[in-house]
Amino acid sequence: MNQTDPSAGSDRRPRRPLLVLVAPALLAGLAALAATGLARLSLPAAFVFLPFALPVAIWVAWSDMKTMKIPNKAVFALVGVFAVVGLIALPLEAWAWRWAHLGVVLVIGFLMSTFGMVGAGDAKFAAAMAPFVALPDTGSFLALFAAVTLSALVTHRMVRRIGAVRRALPDWESWERRDFPMGLALAGALIFYLALSGTLGLIASST
């Protein structure tokens, strides 16, 4: 008769907390190395941010359309991207001042969420996005966000009427809810902003 050593499983359990601590540090190190390589190409800061922000944006858009929720982990991930990559992509003083953007938008988002104007997840993700936007670009970004939101709303409402799409993704809550998954618009606006800002920066530097 085979007997299982009860201590075998317990020996492996303590390794999980160590992995939880080591994995983020390892990812941060890899991100810093990659960002350093991009920065050495003399790319605009927006292009240095873009490849790291893109996966988080896709995660947020997908999650909000599927569950109508933006995971806190995604919010922290985007803040982590700015914390690590921003040190390489931006001058130190600019990087430090941009944290104020996060604080201001977080307060505004909290007030809007309190009055039911936006969801708490939307407010937190908007705050995490704020440091990526240069202060002089605020007006342009808001105009871009309005355009992306309108486009995303129309596209989402049209797509959810397609039977083949709903059969392929039957468990997506946003197909049934009247609320719009704002994470789709927020994530889209961030990526469009970084792409456009980087492109304009390259054009300006080449003239």
Side-chain angles (χ1 to χ4, degrees), residues 54-69:
L54 181 59
V56 181
I58 293 173
W59 178 12
V60 166
W62 182 279
S63 177
D64 208 16
M65 286 191 292
K66 183 177 181 179
T67 67
M68 294 298 292
K69 293 179 181 178

Side-chain angles (χ1 to χ4, degrees), residues 30-116:
L30 292 174
L33 287 174
T36 301
L38 291 173
R40 286 178 178 175
L41 297 176
S42 298
L43 293 174
F47 273 165
V48 180
F49 283 128
L50 184 57
F52 304 98
L54 181 59
V56 181
I58 293 173
W59 178 12
V60 166
W62 182 279
S63 177
D64 208 16
M65 286 191 292
K66 183 177 181 179
T67 67
M68 294 298 292
K69 293 179 181 178
I70 297 177
N72 284 332
K73 290 181 180 179
V75 174
F76 292 137
L78 191 62
V79 173
V81 167
F82 181 79
V84 175
V85 179
L87 276 173
I88 299 163
L90 298 170
L92 182 59
E93 184 177 358
W95 175 84
W97 272 109
R98 287 203 189 187
W99 286 104
H101 300 189
L102 186 152
V104 170
V105 175
L106 186 62
V107 171
I108 295 173
F110 174 77
L111 293 174
M112 294 178 68
S113 176
T114 300
F115 289 101

Side-chain angles (χ1 to χ4, degrees), residues 174-198:
S174 66
W175 298 154
E176 306 295 339
R177 298 271 291 272
R178 294 180 61 185
D179 299 338
F180 172 65
M182 189 57 72
L184 175 62
L186 288 168
L190 175 62
I191 297 308
F192 276 118
Y193 168 76
L194 292 176
L196 289 172
S197 180

